[in-house]
Amino acid sequence: MSTQLLLASSSPRRRSILNLANIDFITYSPQVDESAISNKLLEIYKGACQSAMGRIITGELALQKALAAAYLTKAPLILAADTLVMCRGYILGKPQDAAVAHSMFNLLLGKQLSSEDLALLGTPKATEEDRQHQIKGQYHQVSTGVCLLVHKNYYQSNLSPELSKRLKEVKTAYPELNEYYKLSFVEQAGVYMQGDTAFAQKTVDDYIAAGNCYDKAGAYAVQESTAALINGIVGDVYTVMGLPLHALLEQCNEILPLRAAEAITDVPEVKEVKVRTVAEETALKAESAPEPELINTNTRKSAFSRFNSALMHMNNKEKASNTLPASPTADGQLKQQSGTEKTPMVPDLSLSRPLIFDNSATAVGQVNSLQSKLQELRRNDSSLPSFLQKN
């Protein structure tokens, strides 16, 4: 199993950049007092220009992070980085609150700083470099220092002469750290921003309100919504993101371990996908649609059928009242004593047939007959359909 690279950082942006290069790595974030180191360097190199100050601070902080990780983990291959944003001589670290973030954006966008902004940003720490351009906007500089520590037992016999010349021995007061070689470099990029529109102001307000600014030097990220404020970049965009990928691969490609390609044992079957036209899709939906539910005529009765049933029920009652009860005979059979003989009932379908009038007298008679039947049904039967119960 190959040795993995230890990334001494918790930055998700640096992790994503290493993933782009297919580098095999794990992460560990050492605790380093960055403020104390930066303040000491600012005191020593007071009055230096911001380009030189950016190189000094980021290079030293990257080295200290790598040494802290080596002291605690003893990993054979360690990578650390530090990024610093400087604008008009001000050092822009990670903002502590929304007010500081707003002041940083006012500075980056070239706005006139208020007294409140000056109080929050403090005094300039370096000599301002006049690179403001009327078209491109306000210029600021991003410096990213990189430090790679390689243990002496790692790749001892596999290093090329060119790489061996670039590796320097680490000399510290800790003997265990002196077993490492170091390779350090600093990359810088220039960024132009301009935001004197209502859209730019809304972008800044929404970005700060979402809380995306607090873990980034300079309060912004080039790969997020604040990219809309950037007019141009001079240099490597990955330097602005936090890890100069091209310089890293150019100087350390022999040392950085790559992920091994996983062997594919089961090759999935490739299925042909047919693209259907709109007409074919419509025909397919019509074929797969469920068949309409058939209406059972035995269970659903029409209004005329219910009306005829009511007529039959009324006629049955009338004929039953005119029939005398039967008495048993000697042989046990029921016999009708007297009265009208019981006849099978036939439904009255006269109301369900269309009216065909031969003359006016016939029409009046049929209408009167229908009205009388309907009135009698209304008096004697409460189960009529609703449209027959109305006057």
Side-chain angles (χ1 to χ4, degrees):
M1 182 178 180
S2 62
T3 302
Q4 289 180 306
L5 172 71
L6 176 66
L7 176 63
S9 174
S10 60
S11 169
R13 290 161 293 282
R14 294 189 179 111
R15 293 200 299 267
S16 64
I17 292 173
L18 289 181
N19 282 325
L20 286 175
N22 198 33
I23 295 175
D24 189 12
F25 70 97
I26 56 177
T27 59
Y28 172 77
S29 180
Q31 299 298 322
V32 176
D33 192 351
E34 299 183 23
S35 299
I37 299 173
S38 299
N39 292 334
K40 184 177 180 180
L41 294 173
L42 289 172
E43 184 179 352
I44 295 174
Y45 298 97
K46 185 178 181 179
C49 66
Q50 66 180 19
S51 294
M53 194 65 74
R55 290 182 175 276
I56 293 169
I57 294 178
T58 57
E60 183 64 26
L61 287 176
L63 174 61
Q64 294 302 321
K65 291 178 182 179
L67 291 176
Y71 181 79
L72 295 173
T73 64
K74 308 298 187 295
L77 195 60
I78 301 170
L79 177 68
D82 185 79
T83 301
L84 187 67
V85 178
M86 298 193 71
C87 182
R88 299 192 231 176
Y90 290 91
I91 295 178
L92 304 182
K94 299 175 183 178
Q96 297 84 8
D97 51 40
V100 176
H102 277 288
S103 298
M104 287 184 177
F105 275 108
N106 290 336
L107 181 69
L108 293 171
L109 295 174
K111 297 182 178 180
Q112 186 68 32
L113 297 180
S114 63
S115 57
E116 183 180 356
D117 293 333
L118 294 174
L120 292 173
L121 294 173
T123 58
K125 303 300 182 182
T127 304
E128 180 181 358
E129 298 181 7
D130 189 12
R131 297 191 185 182
Q132 187 170 355
H133 196 280
Q134 293 181 355
I135 299 178
K136 290 189 175 181
Q138 175 63 53
Y139 172 87
H140 67 269
Q141 192 174 60
V142 181
S143 304
T144 298
V146 178
C147 181
L148 181 69
L149 293 184
V150 184
H151 198 273
K152 293 181 178 180
N153 295 332
Y154 185 68
Y155 285 141
Q156 188 171 10
S157 59
N158 297 328
L159 297 180
S160 64
E162 294 79 10
L163 182 58
S164 300
K165 292 178 181 179
R166 294 198 300 267
L167 291 175
K168 308 295 182 182
E169 290 186 358
V170 175
K171 297 181 180 180
T172 65
Y174 301 94
E176 57 270 23
L177 295 181
N178 296 334
E179 297 296 320
Y180 284 89
Y181 293 106
K182 69 175 180 179
L183 192 156
S184 301
F185 60 92
V186 177
E187 290 290 315
Q188 292 180 315
V191 182
Y192 290 90
M193 274 192 177
Q194 192 172 18
D196 53 355
T197 63
F199 170 77
Q201 188 59 47
K202 185 178 185 305
T203 301
V204 171
D205 294 340
D206 293 346
Y207 189 76
I208 295 176
N212 297 326
C213 60
Y214 298 114
D215 63 334
K216 301 173 181 69
Y220 80 96
V222 69
Q223 72 276 12
E224 295 180 355
S225 61
T226 46
L229 307 174
I230 298 175
N231 287 357
I233 298 177
V234 180
D236 187 1
V237 66
Y238 293 110
T239 299
V240 185
M241 291 179 63
L243 188 63
L245 179 61
H246 298 293
L248 179 66
L249 297 177
E250 182 181 359
Q251 299 196 36
C252 311
N253 59 346
E254 293 185 32
I255 304 176
L256 298 177
L258 300 179
R259 292 194 185 98
E262 298 181 359
I264 302 177
T265 55
D266 299 328
V267 179
E269 181 183 357
V270 179
K271 297 182 179 180
E272 182 181 358
V273 180
K274 181 182 179 181
V275 180
R276 301 186 182 93
T277 62
V278 176
E280 291 175 342
E281 287 287 347
T282 305
L284 183 62
K285 290 181 180 179
E287 293 177 0
S288 60
E291 296 182 359
E293 183 180 359
L294 298 177
I295 300 176
N296 190 349
T297 55
N298 297 327
T299 57
R300 295 188 59 183
K301 295 182 179 180
S302 64
F304 287 114
S305 299
R306 294 196 300 272
F307 180 63
N308 286 326
S309 298
L311 286 177
M312 290 176 57
H313 183 65
M314 185 185 68
N315 292 334
N316 288 339
K317 285 184 178 181
E318 292 179 355
K319 294 182 179 181
S321 61
N322 297 329
T323 304
L324 297 177
S327 59
T329 58
D331 56 357
Q333 298 294 329
L334 291 177
K335 183 180 179 181
Q336 203 74 23
Q337 293 182 354
S338 62
T340 308
E341 286 189 5
K342 186 176 181 180
T343 58
M345 298 303 302
V346 179
D348 187 359
L349 302 178
S350 59
L351 293 179
S352 62
R353 291 195 296 268
L355 299 179
I356 303 176
F357 303 134
D358 297 333
N359 51 54
S360 59
T362 305
V364 171
Q366 291 186 6
V367 169
N368 292 336
S369 176
L370 287 174
Q371 288 180 349
S372 61
K373 288 183 179 181
L374 182 60
Q375 290 176 0
E376 188 175 359
L377 283 173
R378 287 173 178 169
R379 290 193 302 269
N380 300 329
D381 198 334
S382 60
S383 63
L384 287 176
S386 59
F387 75 96
L388 293 177
Q389 293 178 4
K390 298 178 182 180
N391 293 327

